[in-house]
């Protein structure tokens, strides 16, 4: 048997062991991405093969925490993909303005940059005071950073450029306090956001949402898992609610495609129909 095949078997066993021992289910993540991360983890910890790593992962929870951290890719930034925020302003905000209150879920929020960007947009549009925002992730150390809302000053120039591209008339500096090294996000923004650990693969619906954002998360899942998570979003969204997947994910090949209207095709912003298609058909 070739080395690659042996490695595939070992990786399958490792993911099974992690599920049995810790309850985290990475079995339906994209195997190419998991494979890359396991290899890097082996190198970093000076371990030769996955076979050697396996018993240690089962017996050393701290070592597992390191692997868990590496499995969850935390890359993010403020106003990432500015055209997405422009489309949100154009397609979704006018409709949100007609609602008496708004519940928002940012799923896979990483270190929080996306959810603060959203809170700023809602504030600019006069919607923040009637919004409740939930920001969730599986990675506790990312969530702790998100809760603090403190980011390195050296990244601010890039954030300002992104922010200007979103079509805002204001200055980004309105929304944080700066010291020599960091910016601290405005208390008013932080106060509207509840950060919590929620695993999209294992945990359930926790509320009825008007708007769900989940960008750059499902790219790490295989098709089966993507469909499962999309079902979870569908159960969590009110009729007429908005689902934002961003440029890299889509409903196109999912079971839900005909239950949503595409409001913006480039940024994959969808609106759930008020009636399910079979009901529409029955009425015809
Ligand atoms: C690349 S970041 C995306 C951050 C942000 N949404 C953005 O687009 O900038 C992916 C995030 O998904 C989270 N994630 C991965 N699997 C998850 C799961 N099963 N449940 C919840 N979050 C998950 C990771 O921990 C990571 O923080």
């Amino acid at each position: 048997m070739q080395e690659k095949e042996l490695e595939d078997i070992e990786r399958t066993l490792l993911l099974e062991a992690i599920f049995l021992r810790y309850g985290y289910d990475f079995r339906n993540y994209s195997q190419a991405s998991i494979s890359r991360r396991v290899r890097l983890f082996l190198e970093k910890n000076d371990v030769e093969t996955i076979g050697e790593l396996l018993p240690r992962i089962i017996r050393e929870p701290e070592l597992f925490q390191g692997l868990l951290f590496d499995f969850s890719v935390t890359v993010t930034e403020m106003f990432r993909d500015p055209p997405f925020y422009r489309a949100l302003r154009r397609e979704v905000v006018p409709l949100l303005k007609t609602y008496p209150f708004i519940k928002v879920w940012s799923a896979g929020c990483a270190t929080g940059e996306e959810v603060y960007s959203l809170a700023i947009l809602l504030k600019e549009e006069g919607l923040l005071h009637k919004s409740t925002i939930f920001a969730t992730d599986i990675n506790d150390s990312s969530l702790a950073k998100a809760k603090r809302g403190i980011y390195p000053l050296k990244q601010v120039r890039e954030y300002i450029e992104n922010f200007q591209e979103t079509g805002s008339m204001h200055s980004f500096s309105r929304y944080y306090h700066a010291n020599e090294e960091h910016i601290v996000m405005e208390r008013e923004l932080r106060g509207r956001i509840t950060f919590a650990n929620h695993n999209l693969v294992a945990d359930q619906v926790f509320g009825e949402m008007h708007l769900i954002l989940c960008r750059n998360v499902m790219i790490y899942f295989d098709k089966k898992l993507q469909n499962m998570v999309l079902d979870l979003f569908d159960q969590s969204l009110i009729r007429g609610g908005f689902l934002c997947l961003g440029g890299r994910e889509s409903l196109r090949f999912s079971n839900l495609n005909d239950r949503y209207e595409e409001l913006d095709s480039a940024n994959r912003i969808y609106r759930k129909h008020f009636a399910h298609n079979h009901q529409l058909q029955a009425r015809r």
Side-chain angles (χ1 to χ4, degrees):
M1 204 178 257
Q2 297 205 331
E3 185 53 34
K4 161 89 180 63
E5 290 168 285
L6 289 174
E7 204 182 286
D8 286 350
I9 295 173
E10 286 179 327
R11 195 186 55 252
T12 305
L13 292 174
L14 177 72
L15 298 185
E16 200 64 40
I18 289 174
F19 178 58
L20 292 173
R21 170 69 173 88
Y22 300 103
Y24 283 96
D25 192 353
F26 292 101
R27 294 173 300 178
N28 290 100
Y29 274 51
S30 140
Q31 291 306 298
S33 155
I34 287 285
S35 195
R36 234 181 355 260
R37 275 154 226 299
V38 172
R39 252 182 247 134
L40 288 173
F41 189 78
L42 291 177
E43 265 173 46
K44 207 164 63 183
N45 289 278
D46 223 359
V47 182
E48 228 15 58
T49 63
I50 303 177
E52 265 176 66
L53 181 68
L54 201 149
R56 290 191 53 199
I57 284 289
I58 297 175
R59 290 183 183 274
E60 298 173 36
E62 280 116 50
L63 190 68
F64 168 66
Q65 282 305 320
L67 185 61
L68 179 63
F69 187 82
D70 287 359
F71 274 179
S72 108
V73 182
T74 57
V75 183
T76 184
E77 65 187 48
M78 293 270 178
F79 302 99
R80 182 177 192 177
D81 305 323
F84 166 74
Y85 290 91
R86 277 209 304 275
L88 198 63
R89 232 186 254 275
R90 192 179 58 237
E91 303 294 339
V92 177
V93 163
L95 293 157
L96 290 182
K97 283 189 172 166
T98 65
Y99 294 179
F101 64 93
I102 305 162
K103 280 168 82 178
V104 184
W105 179 14
S106 163
C109 68
T111 38
E113 287 84 338
E114 175 179 79
V115 73
Y116 286 111
S117 310
L118 182 69
I120 290 172
L121 187 140
L122 292 174
K123 182 166 166 56
E124 295 208 311
E125 296 291 344
L127 293 173
L128 189 64
H129 68 283
K130 60 174 180 175
S131 302
T132 307
I133 308 174
F134 301 94
T136 62
D137 204 280
I138 43 165
N139 185 327
D140 279 330
S141 82
S142 291
L143 280 170
K145 284 187 193 156
K147 240 181 245 180
R148 282 197 297 274
I150 301 177
Y151 301 103
L153 193 60
K154 63 177 189 297
Q155 283 166 2
V156 166
R157 186 193 296 255
E158 187 189 335
Y159 294 165
I160 290 172
E161 279 169 21
N162 281 355
F163 183 57
Q164 284 165 348
E165 274 188 61
T166 66
S168 171
M169 292 295 135
H170 298 119
S171 153
F172 181 51
S173 62
R174 279 178 166 216
Y175 305 107
Y176 61 80
H177 302 285
N179 61 32
E180 274 153 31
E181 290 188 1
H182 296 103
I183 61 167
V184 184
M185 301 315 291
E186 265 286 337
R187 189 193 294 264
E188 186 194 357
L189 303 174
R190 279 183 289 144
R192 303 305 311 188
I193 310 170
T194 302
F195 292 97
N197 189 311
H198 180 278
N199 186 340
L200 290 167
V201 180
D203 297 333
Q204 304 300 314
V205 172
F206 61 89
E208 281 207 311
M209 303 294 153
H210 297 86
L211 168 64
I212 297 178
L213 264 82
C214 185
R215 300 187 305 148
N216 305 298
V217 177
M218 286 190 289
I219 38 170
Y220 302 107
F221 300 168
D222 72 6
K223 277 278 161 275
K224 181 176 159 213
L225 198 51
Q226 286 179 11
N227 270 317
M228 223 182 86
V229 175
L230 288 171
D231 274 338
L232 177 72
F233 292 152
D234 187 47
Q235 288 164 36
S236 308
L237 264 186
I238 61 153
R239 300 214 173 150
F242 303 94
L243 178 62
C244 301
L245 300 180
R248 299 169 77 184
E249 287 109 334
S250 159
L251 277 190
R252 204 161 299 152
F253 303 105
S254 80
N255 309 333
L256 297 178
N257 199 24
D258 59 348
R259 295 176 58 171
Y260 285 74
E261 174 192 359
E262 195 174 61
L263 296 184
D264 185 287
S265 60
N267 299 290
R268 311 276 156 71
I269 299 180
Y270 299 92
R271 186 173 201 196
K272 184 170 171 173
H273 290 312
F274 280 93
H276 293 322
N277 256 9
H278 60 269
Q279 289 168 314
L280 286 172
Q281 276 156 9
R283 274 195 225 125
R284 274 183 203 138

